[in-house]
Amino acid sequence: MTQSPYVRPFAELGMADLEQVGGKNASLGEMVSNLSSLGVSVPDGFATTVEAFRRFIGDTGLAEEISSALKGLDPDDTLELARVGRSLRESVAAQAFPPEVEADIRAAYERLVDGREGVSFAVRSSATAEDLPDASFAGQQETFLNITGIDGVLQAVREVFASLYNDRAIAYRVHHGFDHDEVGLSAGVQQMARSDVGASGVMFTMDTESGFDDAVFVTSSYGLGEAVVQGAVNPDEFYVYKPALRAGRPAILKRGVGSKATKMVYTDDASVGRTTAFVDTDPAERGLLSLTDAEVEELARHALVIEEHYGRPMDIEWARDGVDGRLYILQARPETVMSRAGVQQRFRMKDTGTVVVEGRAIGQKIGAGPVRVLTSVDQMHEFVQGEVLVADMTDPDWEPIMKRASAIVTNRGGRTCHAAIIARELGIPAVVGTGGATRELTDGRDVTVSCAEGDTGFVYDGRLDFSVEETELSAMPDVPTKIMMNVGTPEQAFAFARLPHSGIGLARLEFIINRQIGIHPKALLDHASLEEPLRSEIAEATKAYASPREFFVRRVAEGVSMLAAAFAPEPVIVRMSDFKSNEYANLVAGELYEPHEENPMIGYRGASRYLSADFADCFAMEAEALRYVRDEMGLTNVKVMIPFVRTLAEADGVIALLAEHGLVRGENGLEVVMMCEVPSNAILADEFLERFDGFSIGSNDMTQLTLGVDRDSALVAGSFDERDPAVLFMLERAIEACRKAGKYVGICGQGPSDHPDLAQWLLERGITSMSLNPDTVVDTWLALAETGTQG
């Protein structure tokens, strides 16, 4: 069969055909031709060629009309841009195809349908400058879903051609230096996967916020994927660890349940033909995960195959067909934001004030300015440079003004929605999925939008002070000790791992429990016997997991594995939970289980709590989570640390208890470290080190207990000083004992950052490592390097 100059089947295409069918269709052909044998399923289809587009506008006189209309157009004049764009789109959409072009499209359609009834198609644009490594045209033109019949396909192709003259597409080409006449357009006609009764989403082969490239980031929601791309829905989110996946081990680092309040489905409307519509998601489904673990890992394996084939980070759209149950890849394009990242900037809030709204943080920057609430793209001309754009959601029509915003805030959307993608592209902070920003924020109100405080983005009232620091991390000098970090927030792990480090010296399990669980562990175990409404509250919070107990174990494992994966292969020292009784009481249902203590700081905590019969089942869950991370996921860089061990008997008891739960010191490389924070630990350092693989000095508790100073009391705060001779005596005993035994000794706390003379003293005594809060790592690193040079 003679090859048509106007239409090409996907199976005959590859990246070498980019100039003829554009980036998107060339990539689809590339995957169909090369990756099908590796298990990557791509729905079949065909592409019109750029030659077909040239004939369409050239033979009909449209080319002259378009060139004349766009000559000298100022894209920042949004009213004129809208007028010209609308006129051009109407002309293109109404134009008939040249007979030869239409005949070839009809023939390709008939071959694809092959007599089947009820087959529906997606008709998408594919520009010759689209999806290139250094440009992102994705979403600039229109996509038409659930198109049936040849007449519907022909009209959808015309509409795709017309969308080359959307306002945002015109503006993007001007701002990025692309000649309107040189950008060719292809239309892809692809059979639809029935995700309208399944699920769909987007995945990236790297973390889009930090650039961490050992994880696949997957988003998922019910229904058609346009809902996720548009930001109309807050999807589920998953992280999958590539090394574990390649090793055939359990690989999911994180499962995040999105609200998924709405979904896009097929609809039948005789007046406009068969199209799509948004409907409310069944409330019973919203709290569940839209993918199984097996499906998440299968998608991630497809992502690895695609990334390996293209040799670069990729942005991939996928769908699960609700009829045949299979997973399909719909598109794949280069990831274009983090691949262009340069020197690290670190934004810090100097003060925090009243939070007006909060949502998902996009990027790690801070912006401030007056609010501008827009409910329609028709209001774009009102937007002024430097304002904070607030909208229900955005789509590509908003792009001409988004670059002028100091920050973006939306009611709806997740990390892969349109607003998030464009905010990253532009380097603008955005807070998406706030739920009520357009209601809570009003025009002219000054706000500060912070994405520099972790996974959650905050919109503060007023213009608040913040700082920006730039660090060329590749130029960091050598230091005379190991610098580790104190990290207890898994959602920030990938970003923190970009700082210079030798691992995590203190990962507080209680931080993970507080942030990712928030419920007292005994209440999860006793869930069936709790009274209402507490029982229903816990059931709702844990419904995405097999049981409340499974919820605890998996969530702890997720938190720990995120930290361990981010910092691998460096050690990650995880301290078992060290809540005091008053802190445990603050968890949901905590007051039902916790005693009232006059001084919880020296009460029911640490090793003594683990060894009590009342807490045995709770400790078993913590141990199970850590064993799963080490032995099943293969993250053996995790070390276990035991806090507040008062006596040698407690030390023996805890080591035996860990072994009962499968955490045997020395097996599979497991090291068990002890917090050296009670004076008895330093006094009997040699004996404690017979039972543990090293010390991590907790200078706060050691100072408090050595000097008899309540560190929470302002009345005696002036007496609290880690540099007191009595405290230094204890620290020196601990360090010397570790050095003599050839075992690890580190210190976790801000003493070395706050007191350069203490840091110097520790270096002289031979401390193995200093574990610092991330915001002090760079400054302390540079200070220690200078100290080492002077020494």
Side-chain angles (χ1 to χ4, degrees):
M1 184 177 62
T2 304
Q3 187 179 91
S4 166
Y6 308 123
V7 176
R8 300 278 301 279
F10 286 166
E12 295 180 5
L13 296 173
M15 293 308 296
D17 300 295
L18 187 145
E19 290 299 322
Q20 277 299 302
V21 296
K24 188 179 300 176
N25 287 333
S27 181
L28 286 170
E30 182 78 10
M31 289 189 292
V32 169
S33 302
N34 295 281
L35 304 184
S36 297
S37 62
L38 299 176
V40 177
S41 297
V42 179
D44 202 4
F46 63 86
T48 64
T49 64
V50 170
E51 179 61 23
F53 174 72
R54 302 279 187 227
R55 285 287 308 274
F56 178 76
I57 65 169
D59 289 6
T60 58
L62 284 172
E64 292 79 6
E65 177 184 345
I66 293 167
S67 180
S68 176
L70 295 179
K71 186 176 182 179
L73 179 66
D74 179 5
D76 292 327
D77 183 346
T78 56
L79 292 177
E80 180 63 8
L81 175 65
R83 185 193 67 77
V84 171
R86 182 170 55 252
S87 175
L88 291 178
R89 292 192 298 274
E90 289 172 353
S91 296
V92 175
Q95 180 64 54
F97 284 99
E100 301 91 338
V101 175
E102 180 170 336
D104 282 3
I105 294 175
R106 286 180 177 273
Y109 175 83
E110 291 302 325
R111 286 193 296 271
L112 185 58
V113 172
D114 195 25
R116 294 173 295 163
E117 297 291 334
V119 183
S120 64
F121 297 90
V123 182
R124 297 185 175 93
S125 66
S126 180
T128 55
E130 183 175 57
D131 298 337
L132 298 181
D134 296 316
S136 180
F137 275 62
Q140 292 295 328
Q141 284 79 53
E142 298 291 351
T143 292
F144 300 91
L145 302 178
N146 196 24
I147 304 301
T148 57
I150 183 57
D151 292 336
V153 168
L154 287 167
Q155 184 56 37
V157 172
R158 275 192 291 267
E159 296 285 355
V160 163
F161 289 172
S163 71
L164 190 60
Y165 308 103
N166 278 332
D167 301 354
R168 77 267 189 172
I170 295 170
Y172 190 92
R173 289 196 294 273
V174 172
H175 289 308
H176 289 78
F178 291 98
D179 191 321
H180 297 293
D181 297 331
E182 295 301 318
V183 177
L185 193 64
S186 165
V189 179
Q190 184 180 39
Q191 184 172 329
M192 290 196 68
R194 290 297 307 273
S195 58
D196 61 304
V197 289
S200 56
V202 180
M203 56 182 171
F204 295 85
T205 61
M206 67 189 305
D207 177 47
T208 53
E209 302 304 318
S210 68
F212 180 73
D213 62 3
D214 255 345
V216 178
F217 175 53
V218 181
T219 65
S220 173
S221 193
Y222 302 118
L224 300 171
E226 283 297 300
V228 177
V229 174
Q230 291 176 12
V233 64
N234 297 332
D236 297 333
E237 297 181 352
F238 306 86
Y239 281 104
V240 185
Y241 188 43
K242 292 179 183 178
L245 195 68
R246 293 188 182 106
R249 293 177 175 273
I252 298 177
L253 299 173
K254 177 185 177 183
R255 304 164 184 83
V257 180
S259 58
K260 304 183 297 294
T262 187
K263 61 182 177 180
M264 181 184 280
V265 299
Y266 290 178
T267 186
D268 291 300
D269 188 334
S271 64
V272 297
R274 194 176 178 202
T275 56
T276 60
F278 282 103
V279 297
D280 290 340
T281 303
D282 183 342
E285 293 183 313
R286 296 178 188 179
L288 303 176
L289 291 167
S290 51
L291 288 174
T292 65
D293 283 2
E295 288 170 334
V296 173
E297 291 184 346
E298 182 181 346
L299 283 170
R301 281 191 289 272
H302 292 336
L304 289 185
V305 170
I306 294 168
E307 180 181 51
E308 183 175 342
H309 180 77
Y310 285 93
R312 61 177 299 114
M314 298 295 288
D315 170 354
I316 302 162
E317 293 184 26
W318 63 270
R320 186 189 70 210
D321 191 309
V323 176
D324 66 19
R326 296 178 61 190
L327 295 167
Y328 294 93
I329 300 301
L330 306 182
Q331 296 184 48
R333 51 184 168 259
E335 196 282 332
T336 59
V337 178
M338 287 309 304
S339 59
R340 299 201 304 269
V343 175
Q344 184 185 18
Q345 287 186 318
R346 184 162 180 81
F347 286 68
R348 299 183 192 175
M349 291 294 301
K350 291 184 176 180
D351 301 295
T352 56
T354 302
V355 176
V356 186
V357 294
E358 62 182 64
R360 187 63 186 265
I362 304 301
Q364 297 161 9
K365 295 184 177 181
I366 301 171
V371 166
R372 175 70 68 178
V373 180
L374 298 183
T375 58
S376 166
V377 292
D378 295 334
Q379 300 171 300
M380 284 198 301
H381 63 281
E382 301 174 5
F383 194 81
V384 177
Q385 180 81 28
E387 291 182 322
V388 174
L389 173 60
V390 179
D392 181 53
M393 54 183 276
T394 68
D395 61 36
D397 288 324
W398 295 77
E399 289 175 26
I401 64 164
M402 293 174 79
K403 63 184 177 64
R404 305 183 205 165
S406 60
I408 299 168
V409 183
T410 67
N411 292 339
R412 297 190 280 170
R415 281 181 50 183
T416 56
C417 72
H418 175 266
I421 291 170
I422 299 303
R424 289 190 201 98
E425 180 81 19
L426 298 173
I428 296 171
V431 178
V432 301
T434 64
T438 56
R439 181 178 63 252
E440 300 295 332
L441 300 172
T442 55
D443 283 352
R445 180 179 185 176
D446 280 336
V447 296
T448 301
V449 179
S450 172
C451 296
E453 300 170 70
D455 202 38
T456 302
F458 299 97
V459 180
Y460 293 105
D461 186 33
R463 289 178 181 255
L464 304 180
D465 286 340
F466 63 91
S467 63
V468 185
E469 299 173 1
E470 289 193 352
T471 305
E472 180 55 69
L473 299 181
S474 62
M476 295 293 285
D478 292 335
V479 287
T481 190
K482 292 182 178 180
I483 300 296
M484 305 178 81
M485 277 187 258
N486 305 328
V487 183
T489 51
E491 65 270 18
Q492 293 180 285
F494 294 159
F496 288 156
R498 296 177 66 195
L499 294 168
H501 67 84
S502 295
I504 295 179
L506 174 61
R508 298 176 174 93
L509 208 60
E510 65 270 16
F511 279 23
I512 294 173
I513 294 170
N514 188 52
R515 295 173 68 92
Q516 299 199 185
I517 296 170
I519 303 168
H520 197 286
K522 289 188 70 68
L524 293 169
L525 294 169
D526 296 343
H527 169 255
S529 62
L530 295 175
E531 296 182 358
E532 294 292 357
L534 186 58
R535 184 169 65 233
S536 293
E537 179 184 348
I538 293 175
E540 182 64 26
T542 62
K543 67 186 295 185
Y545 293 78
S547 67
R549 187 184 189 282
E550 183 78 358
F551 168 75
F552 183 95
V553 173
R554 286 286 179 257
R555 294 292 281 173
V556 170
E558 289 167 17
V560 172
S561 65
M562 282 282 283
L563 297 174
F567 284 77
E570 299 294 343
V572 172
I573 301 175
V574 179
R575 187 178 72 186
M576 306 298 277
S577 66
D578 193 26
F579 281 120
K580 273 70 78 178
S581 56
N582 60 319
E583 294 167 340
Y584 257 126
N586 289 330
L587 298 176
V588 171
E591 71 282 354
L592 299 178
Y593 299 101
E594 291 300 317
H596 172 72
E597 296 184 282
E598 291 299 328
N599 195 340
M601 190 73 73
I602 55 174
Y604 187 42
R605 62 178 288 202
S608 62
R609 180 182 278 262
Y610 306 156
L611 292 167
S612 70
D614 188 57
F615 196 73
D617 290 341
C618 301
F619 185 77
M621 292 195 292
E622 293 185 26
E624 181 179 339
L626 265 63
R627 189 201 61 77
Y628 178 83
V629 172
R630 283 183 46 83
D631 296 349
E632 301 300 322
M633 298 185 73
L635 287 161
T636 54
N637 60 322
V638 169
K639 301 182 180 183
V640 174
M641 183 154 68
I642 304 299
F644 222 77
V645 185
R646 295 178 172 96
T647 67
L648 296 174
E650 286 186 352
D652 290 330
V654 170
I655 293 295
L657 186 60
L658 286 171
E660 287 177 23
H661 294 299
L663 293 170
V664 180
R665 182 179 166 219
E667 278 192 8
N668 199 18
L670 176 63
E671 294 184 12
V672 182
V673 178
M674 189 188 83
M675 285 288 291
C676 181
E677 55 191 341
V678 180
S680 61
N681 303 153
I683 294 168
L684 297 178
D686 294 335
E687 288 83 352
F688 277 106
L689 285 170
E690 293 173 1
R691 293 152 172 86
F692 292 95
D693 296 297
F695 284 166
S696 179
I697 297 171
S699 57
N700 287 340
D701 273 342
M702 183 64 82
T703 302
Q704 170 178 250
L705 296 173
T706 300
L707 300 180
V709 175
D710 182 352
R711 60 185 166 113
D712 290 336
S713 173
L715 298 175
V716 292
S719 299
F720 187 95
D721 191 337
E722 302 98 321
R723 297 166 297 175
D724 185 277
V727 179
L728 294 180
F729 175 83
M730 294 296 183
L731 301 189
E732 187 164 22
R733 279 190 62 89
I735 294 170
E736 286 181 353
C738 288
R739 286 175 59 83
K740 183 175 67 175
K743 294 190 175 182
Y744 167 83
V745 58
I747 185 168
C748 50
Q750 287 310 102
S753 296
D754 296 339
H755 307 297
D757 55 333
L758 176 61
Q760 179 63 33
W761 185 89
L762 290 165
L763 289 176
E764 292 170 356
R765 297 312 180 275
I767 195 83
T768 304
S769 72
M770 298 182 191
S771 191
L772 313 170
N773 288 344
D775 61 350
T776 66
V777 164
V778 172
D779 290 344
T780 306
W781 186 296
L782 296 174
L784 289 174
E786 183 177 345
T787 299
T789 301
Q790 292 173 351

